Amino acid sequence: MSAETANIVGGVLILVDLAIRIAALIIIPRNRKPTAAMAWLLAIFLIPFVGILLFLLIGSYKLPKKRRERQHEIDRVIAERGDQLDLVTDRSQWPTWFASVVEQNRVLGALPAVGGNTAHLIGDYQASIDAMAADIDTAERFVHVEFYIVSLDTTTTGFFAAMERAVQRGVIVRVLLDHISTGRSATHEATYAELDRIGAKWSFMLPVQPMKGKFQRPDLRNHRKLVVVDGRVGYLGSQNLIDRSYNSKKNLARGLQWQELVARVTGPIVTGINAVFLSDWYAETDEVLLATENVPAEQVAFDTSPDALDCQVVPSGPAYDGENNLRQFLALVNSAQRQVIITSPYFVPDEAMVYAITSASFRGLDVQLFVSEIGDQGSVWHAQRSYYGALLRAGVRIWLYPGPYILHAKHLSIDDDVAVIGSSNMDIRSFALNFEVTMLVRGASFVAQMRDVEAGYRAIGRELTLEEWEREPASATFLDGIARLTSALQ
């Protein structure tokens, strides 16, 4: 190559680089959080060509227009039915601020609050799967199963056997599983074959199949975990349908075991859980089941005991215009009067959430955070650690759940009678990129159960103090800071 040609090529590359930077400054900040915009701009300015390729691949955090329109369509139907429904018996027992949170959730997620429910927490990994299988064995009409990861293995064999027995009785069994995450599991081919063999109707969620015209940003995933039996019994929480080790060679080598929390619920709220499944089934299969497989809340057994719970299902995800779960968490933490206790395996909050949590502590509230002492995802674990200093200095108490366990449970309790449980982590991914489902609960009996669970975490774990944290080596906190920067990419 001649010197003149080299100069021309070099000049063109400089102009292209400059054009990329100018375009990035115009395009990226538009309708994007400042932290996310700054992270993307930093990536593009430091590594222009790689950065722009990454942005083109995963820069859009919204699903295709058609998928969002389907969500809006089914939300309109659910909202129309919910507007005519009032199954909360005594709002006078609610905290003064609670009604406004319920209304926000209804506006964003379409589903109303309903009373007359029961909920039982299950923290034993195998016991929760066995309980689901036992309820499937009572099914007469339908079984709806939706998990981020579904795997046929020694832990889940009984669950698959229960689904097979249900099909043999003439019960329709429908299964939704996330395409990417289930596809990464060690037994995914055997899992698909078993679902076919037993006669279940099943579908991938958010498949990445460009040759079939099915494609969106690959890391937009459906992270929900729920089971519904006949519209009268439901389950939701943090647990996937897979062995406690996730059958991963890396996890097995480290001896990692996941610790979960699942709620078994009965009452009108099961209709809300089922509505989430029906909306996802419609989105993935084009099949509308609201007329046939929806059990109206007013037809579900209503608990009239003093311990009956008021509950509300809150779906969230990239098909919604707002970050429904983030707004719910912010409203709850900002409304708390005495206590805020958060359990999240992946704690990478945005700036608003950090301010809400530390402000609660500055107001004199008892604020506690339960996280794992060790991590299964290095970058997330380091990003999470980057918040510990600010939280501890604000007076937040941090409890570390010991290895080899990964505390994967996801729940939040407020004061003495309000709680949330579901699939949503307290992180940016769960706020914007994943489909999640949580259940808001008002009832002292339920929060008492959660208090027992939290007490168990304290008994087995240890408290991280500010003095200990300040002895952390600079090399570790450097990695924490870098991971925090990259966590904002969304």
Side-chain angles (χ1 to χ4, degrees):
M1 182 184 295
S2 66
E4 183 179 354
T5 302
N7 289 336
I8 293 173
V9 171
V12 170
L13 289 175
I14 291 172
L15 290 174
V16 169
D17 178 66
L18 181 62
I20 288 174
R21 294 169 189 262
I22 293 173
L25 287 170
I26 295 171
I27 296 170
I28 290 176
R30 192 177 300 161
N31 299 320
R32 196 180 300 273
K33 289 183 179 180
T35 51
M38 286 300 295
W40 275 116
L41 288 172
L42 184 62
I44 290 172
F45 274 47
L46 290 178
I47 43 173
F49 296 103
V50 175
I52 198 66
L53 285 174
L54 283 173
F55 182 76
L56 291 173
L57 180 64
I58 63 171
S60 174
Y61 57 90
K62 291 294 185 183
L63 286 173
K65 182 179 179 182
K66 182 179 179 182
R67 178 63 176 79
R68 298 200 306 273
E69 288 175 346
R70 285 187 175 184
Q71 186 68 60
H72 295 158
E73 176 187 345
I74 201 161
D75 280 351
R76 283 193 295 271
V77 174
I78 292 171
E80 288 170 2
R81 298 184 180 192
D83 286 344
Q84 303 167 11
L85 189 67
D86 188 359
L87 293 179
V88 176
T89 55
D90 188 3
R91 284 181 168 79
S92 67
Q93 299 300 311
W94 286 4
T96 54
W97 50 265
F98 190 70
S100 61
V101 179
V102 167
E103 176 61 14
Q104 173 184 276
N105 288 341
R106 188 197 63 79
V107 169
L108 295 175
L111 293 162
V114 292
N117 306 289
T118 69
H120 173 64
L121 292 175
I122 307 174
D124 182 281
Y125 198 101
Q126 187 66 60
S128 63
I129 293 177
D130 292 345
M132 295 176 201
D135 278 319
I136 290 172
D137 275 332
T138 70
E140 298 177 351
R141 288 183 51 193
F142 63 81
V143 173
H144 291 159
V145 176
E146 178 173 339
F147 284 99
Y148 181 58
I149 302 175
V150 176
S151 175
L152 175 65
D153 55 41
T154 55
T155 299
T156 64
T157 299
F159 189 102
F160 277 80
M163 290 195 292
E164 181 176 7
R165 290 190 293 270
V167 172
Q168 291 171 348
R169 294 194 306 272
V171 175
I172 298 177
V173 176
R174 298 181 178 90
V175 180
L176 287 171
L177 46 89
D178 186 79
H179 182 215
I180 296 295
S181 298
T182 294
R184 288 202 300 250
S185 66
T187 64
H188 64 278
E189 293 292 349
T191 300
Y192 307 154
E194 182 67 359
L195 289 171
D196 287 334
R197 188 192 68 79
I198 68 178
K201 297 184 177 182
W202 66 278
S203 176
F204 291 126
M205 295 186 291
L206 299 176
V208 179
Q209 299 169 320
M211 301 304 292
K212 297 182 180 180
K214 299 178 180 180
F215 184 80
Q216 66 284 316
R217 174 174 166 171
D219 64 334
L220 298 182
R221 307 311 324 150
N222 194 315
H223 194 241
R224 293 167 178 164
K225 297 108 174 163
L226 60 90
V227 173
V228 177
V229 178
D230 287 348
R232 55 180 174 77
V233 179
Y235 290 83
L236 83 173
S238 63
Q239 188 169 341
N240 286 296
L241 191 61
I242 190 171
D243 181 77
R244 198 174 182 182
S245 68
Y246 278 56
N247 301 314
S248 161
K249 291 181 179 179
K250 179 181 68 174
N251 295 346
L252 291 168
R254 296 177 63 190
L256 298 185
Q257 298 280 301
W258 265 241
Q259 180 63 36
E260 309 285 1
L261 192 65
V262 173
R264 179 189 186 273
V265 299
T266 63
I269 193 60
V270 179
T271 297
I273 301 173
N274 195 41
V276 173
F277 177 90
L278 297 179
S279 66
D280 285 340
W281 186 264
Y282 169 56
E284 303 298 354
T285 70
D286 294 325
E287 186 178 8
V288 180
L289 300 173
L290 278 173
T292 57
E293 304 295 67
N294 176 63
V295 179
E298 58 269 27
Q299 295 180 16
V300 180
F302 195 92
D303 182 18
T304 58
S305 73
D307 288 335
L309 307 171
D310 296 326
C311 302
Q312 184 178 31
V313 173
V314 183
S316 59
Y320 292 89
D321 295 327
E323 296 172 322
N324 301 0
N325 51 357
L326 171 59
R327 293 177 188 275
Q328 175 182 227
F329 292 147
L330 286 171
L332 291 171
V333 173
N334 285 325
S335 299
Q337 300 298 304
R338 292 181 297 280
Q339 192 171 51
V340 175
I341 301 182
I342 299 167
T343 301
S344 180
Y346 309 117
F347 181 81
V348 190
D350 70 350
E351 186 175 357
M353 198 72 241
V354 172
Y355 269 67
I357 293 169
T358 53
S359 294
S361 187
F362 291 142
R363 296 200 313 270
L365 277 64
D366 174 20
V367 183
Q368 301 182 42
L369 170 66
F370 290 97
V371 293
S372 293
E373 185 171 28
I374 62 176
D376 66 302
Q377 299 179 26
S379 61
V380 178
W381 184 68
H382 277 289
Q384 172 174 294
R385 282 166 42 91
S386 73
Y387 293 92
Y388 289 172
L391 295 174
L392 290 167
R393 284 188 286 273
V396 176
R397 299 180 70 186
I398 300 177
W399 298 88
L400 304 178
Y401 199 86
Y405 299 100
I406 299 295
L407 181 58
H408 195 246
K410 311 157 197 301
H411 47 92
L412 166 72
S413 58
I414 299 294
D415 298 338
D416 299 320
D417 60 350
V418 175
V420 173
I421 185 170
S423 66
S424 180
N425 297 304
M426 194 75 72
D427 72 346
I428 295 169
R429 167 159 292 282
S430 286
F431 296 156
L433 305 180
N434 285 344
F435 281 89
E436 308 285 2
V437 61
T438 58
M439 181 174 70
L440 175 65
V441 182
R442 193 216 61 85
S445 62
F446 184 79
V447 176
Q449 290 185 64
M450 197 164 279
R451 291 284 180 264
D452 288 341
V453 171
E454 295 158 356
Y457 296 161
R458 288 189 203 92
I460 194 174
R462 68 178 183 88
E463 186 171 2
L464 175 67
T465 65
L466 180 58
E467 292 73 20
E468 177 187 348
W469 180 252
E470 288 180 338
R471 294 195 297 269
E472 281 288 300
S475 58
T477 54
F478 170 76
L479 291 174
D480 297 343
I482 295 298
R484 181 169 175 169
L485 281 175
T486 58
S487 72
L489 292 175
Q490 56 171 286

